[in-house]
Amino acid sequence: MTLPIADWLTRRPSQAAINRSQVARARDLLARIDEVFDQRLVGQDRLRTTLVRTLMAGGHVLLESVPGLAKTTAAHTLADAVAGKFARIQCTPDLMPNDIVGTQVFDHTTNTFSTQLGPVHANLVLLDEINRSSAKTQSAMLEAMQEHQTSIGGVEHPLPDPFMVMATQNPIEEEGTYVLPEAQMDRFLVKEVLTYPTTEEEVEILERITSGRMTAPLTAEPIGLDDVRELRALTDRVHVDTEIKRYVVDLVSTTRGGGPRPVADLRRLVRVGASPRGAIAFVQLAQAGALAAGRDYVTPDDVKDTRYAVLRHRLVRSFEALADDVPAEQLVDAVFDAVPVP
């Protein structure tokens, strides 16, 4: 039962393994990205790691937190770190799909239509408060994320390469919001939940603001878009052993109530488990994590390190779990505790 899915986990045909010089090259590029983040972002190490590894894996990220926890700053910093075109879209209930993807404008002087591309045609797009936009607008954005192109007036326009969406949502305000359906949530490679900074980090934020360091010109040298494409190509070539693939498939199967050692009462708490996209996300992020650690192969710890980000938005909790306030992270831990590590 596991073999067809395990074989499907490889995104591209088998390629030659990367060598030590290529691993060192990747580490050098990632170090330059870190230097930019060090200058602009205080704390939020998990957010930084998630953004960079999602970029390496070629996916999109959903960020959830209360306002003011540097989501916009982190997204803008990532764009600066890779010298990419950045666009921020503030979602509101009256935002229309054309406001995102673009539209055709009629020129009365020439009696012709010209195409104006929307802000989604950027390398890194921050979709702020995605749950405030209507379902129709959410659908248009998620289609662009999946297809990497937009259609305006019957003409297809490819999105830039690389292309990455960072969507945010506020968990404490529900009035005037449109909750993302589970099927659309699954389109995001990861979901990261941000927490408040420590006291020391918050003091450092104030120090940087009052001294002007927060807005000072970058002294670190960013990498280029060609470097990002190189990182993605190297990430794809990180070796994933068949046993690791079986481990990933067993984890995903366990979220559905199966697996080698089914978790007691999980079916009562989880209405729908992770789809094969969850298994693919585990492999892609594990490859990125291994490369960032200076390895050309994936270990079980690379998979475990991404467990919450990959599964927290893919486990559809039952009414009973929601009523008892059972966090998704607790269910994820139960799954990982049950599956034997290769």
Side-chain angles (χ1 to χ4, degrees), residues 213-286:
R213 284 185 292 156
M214 191 70 78
T215 56
L218 285 175
T219 57
E221 180 185 1
I223 68 174
L225 296 179
D226 286 338
D227 296 323
V228 175
R229 288 186 280 268
E230 182 182 355
L231 276 174
R232 287 185 170 183
L234 292 175
T235 300
D236 284 339
R237 292 165 56 188
V238 171
H239 177 68
V240 186
D241 190 80
T242 300
E243 289 303 311
I244 297 293
K245 294 177 183 178
R246 291 181 184 274
Y247 177 52
V248 167
V249 173
D250 286 342
L251 289 168
V252 172
S253 297
T254 302
T255 68
R256 306 169 192 155
R261 297 179 184 175
V263 177
D265 291 335
L266 190 68
R267 289 183 180 273
R268 181 175 60 85
L269 299 172
V270 177
R271 185 160 50 90
V272 180
S275 74
R277 281 201 192 101
I280 295 170
F282 268 129
V283 170
Q284 292 176 340
L285 288 171

Side-chain angles (χ1 to χ4, degrees), residues 130-278:
I130 186 174
N131 53 335
R132 288 200 176 278
S133 61
S134 67
K136 189 174 184 179
T137 302
Q138 291 176 4
S139 176
M141 188 67 204
L142 291 166
E143 181 181 0
M145 291 164 49
Q146 184 69 22
E147 305 298 332
H148 284 247
Q149 66 180 25
T150 60
S151 180
I152 305 172
V155 178
E156 294 179 349
H157 299 271
L159 294 172
D161 179 32
F163 171 69
M164 175 178 167
V165 171
M166 298 158 283
T168 73
Q169 62 181 15
N170 186 342
I172 62 174
E173 294 184 17
E174 297 182 357
E175 186 175 351
T177 62
Y178 303 83
V179 178
L180 282 173
E182 286 83 359
Q184 294 184 358
M185 293 271 282
D186 196 31
R187 302 281 180 178
F188 289 96
L189 190 72
V190 298
K191 176 185 176 182
E192 194 62 62
V193 178
L194 280 63
T195 58
Y196 287 109
T198 65
T199 301
E200 292 75 15
E201 290 170 346
E202 205 155 357
V203 170
E204 176 63 18
I205 292 172
L206 297 180
E207 290 283 358
R208 292 193 183 191
I209 290 176
T210 55
S211 65
R213 284 185 292 156
M214 191 70 78
T215 56
L218 285 175
T219 57
E221 180 185 1
I223 68 174
L225 296 179
D226 286 338
D227 296 323
V228 175
R229 288 186 280 268
E230 182 182 355
L231 276 174
R232 287 185 170 183
L234 292 175
T235 300
D236 284 339
R237 292 165 56 188
V238 171
H239 177 68
V240 186
D241 190 80
T242 300
E243 289 303 311
I244 297 293
K245 294 177 183 178
R246 291 181 184 274
Y247 177 52
V248 167
V249 173
D250 286 342
L251 289 168
V252 172
S253 297
T254 302
T255 68
R256 306 169 192 155
R261 297 179 184 175
V263 177
D265 291 335
L266 190 68
R267 289 183 180 273
R268 181 175 60 85
L269 299 172
V270 177
R271 185 160 50 90
V272 180
S275 74
R277 281 201 192 101

Side-chain angles (χ1 to χ4, degrees), residues 18 22-38 48-57 77-78 81-82 220-224 227-232 234-235 238 285-295:
I18 56 178
Q22 290 171 320
V23 172
R25 165 70 174 165
R27 296 266 287 176
D28 178 65
L29 293 175
L30 293 173
R32 286 165 59 185
I33 293 177
D34 278 341
E35 289 177 5
V36 176
F37 270 100
D38 287 340
R48 176 195 309 200
T49 299
T50 297
L51 290 179
V52 174
R53 293 186 184 178
T54 302
L55 179 66
M56 295 169 65
T77 301
L78 181 62
V82 300
E221 180 185 1
I223 68 174
D227 296 323
V228 175
R229 288 186 280 268
E230 182 182 355
L231 276 174
R232 287 185 170 183
L234 292 175
T235 300
V238 171
L285 288 171
Q287 288 176 304
L291 187 60
R295 284 181 278 105

